[in-house]
Amino acid sequence: MLKIELDRDRCEGYGLCEDSAPELFAVDDEGVLELLQETVPTDLREKAKRAVEACPVAALGLADRGDRD
Ligand code: SF4
C-alpha cells in the first residue's frame, strides 16, 4: 500500500503537487497543503509519483507499507 508522506516544515505551498494530482492534494487560500487521501489508490499511483517529483522543495515522499495497513 502506497502512502503519501508530507514534510510540513519543508512545504511552501507552491501547489505543484495539486496541479499534478488534484485528487490527492489541495492547497488552501493560505498556502496550507491538505492531503485529500493519505493512501494512494492504485489508479492514482502514477499521478502521485509525478506530484512527488514536481515538488520543488522535496516535501513529499511515497512510502510502500506493504499490505499491513
Ligand atoms: S509542491 Fe511541494 S511545496 Fe508545493 S504544495 Fe506540494 S508539497 Fe508543498
Side-chain angles (χ1 to χ4, degrees), residues 11-64:
C11 177
E12 296 185 18
Y14 294 121
L16 297 178
C17 51
E18 183 179 9
D19 291 344
S20 297
E23 299 89 341
L24 299 171
F25 305 96
V27 179
D28 71 15
D29 293 344
E30 289 168 5
V32 177
L33 176 63
E34 182 188 352
L35 294 183
L36 301 178
Q37 305 182 64
E38 218 166 298
T39 301
V40 181
T42 309
D43 59 330
L44 292 179
R45 279 178 170 236
E46 285 308 313
K47 278 191 167 188
K49 285 178 189 168
R50 281 202 289 276
V52 169
E53 287 165 10
C55 179
V57 293
L60 295 173
L62 289 173
D64 195 342

